[in-house]
Amino acid sequence: WYQRRVRVKQMENIEKFLTACKGFGLKDGDLFQTADLYECQNMSQVLGTLYACSTVATSTHGYAGPCIGIKLAEQNVREFDQATIDAGKTILGGQTGWNKGDSQTGMSMGKTRKVCD
């Protein structure tokens, strides 16, 4: 009887933690299921929830102490004068298709891929 009561209380505490996480700002996809922690089934999801808690605490709630989560990107507005914008229009980026006459003709790297219907 006592063991059953303790198990129910432990599961209630996990549910309270998950409810608090939602109120804290975590999304449903960041949360683990109660059984994941209680039965040690999906501990990677439990750790993901803890990482998400740390991320939300540092980025949204202003916590400045140690953290284990990622840092969310902040807005970085840049303002350029017209001369800089015009100078940038004359530069070809590396992904625009211009490669100074280089090509891959004649290159063979391993077997060819056969596509079957």
Side-chain angles (χ1 to χ4, degrees):
W1 174 80
Y2 177 74
Q3 292 293 335
R4 182 176 176 270
R5 193 168 150 199
V6 169
R7 281 185 258 152
V8 169
K9 193 65 170 171
Q10 288 172 343
M11 292 184 77
E12 285 177 359
N13 285 340
I14 294 171
E15 281 296 324
K16 288 179 183 179
F17 172 76
L18 293 173
T19 304
C21 285
K22 280 186 182 180
F24 195 60
L26 269 67
K27 299 176 183 160
D28 288 333
D30 293 331
L31 300 176
F32 60 87
Q33 300 295 319
T34 303
D36 292 341
L37 177 59
Y38 184 75
E39 298 174 2
C40 296
Q41 289 180 349
N42 191 0
M43 294 307 288
S44 61
Q45 185 67 32
V46 174
L47 288 174
T49 300
L50 296 177
Y51 280 116
C53 278
S54 177
T55 299
V56 170
T58 55
S59 63
T60 308
H61 297 288
Y63 176 71
C67 68
I68 58 172
I70 60 172
K71 180 183 176 190
L72 295 179
E74 298 173 357
Q75 186 176 8
N76 187 5
V77 179
R78 299 173 189 200
E79 296 179 15
F80 298 105
D81 59 353
Q82 192 59 41
T84 306
I85 293 172
D86 292 338
K89 291 178 182 178
T90 62
I91 298 172
L92 290 175
Q95 295 182 0
T96 57
W98 182 68
N99 54 10
K100 298 182 184 177
D102 296 336
S103 70
Q104 293 180 344
T105 57
M107 293 180 70
S108 63
M109 301 180 78
K111 293 183 178 180
T112 59
R113 181 172 172 221
K114 296 187 180 194
V115 179
C116 300
D117 286 346

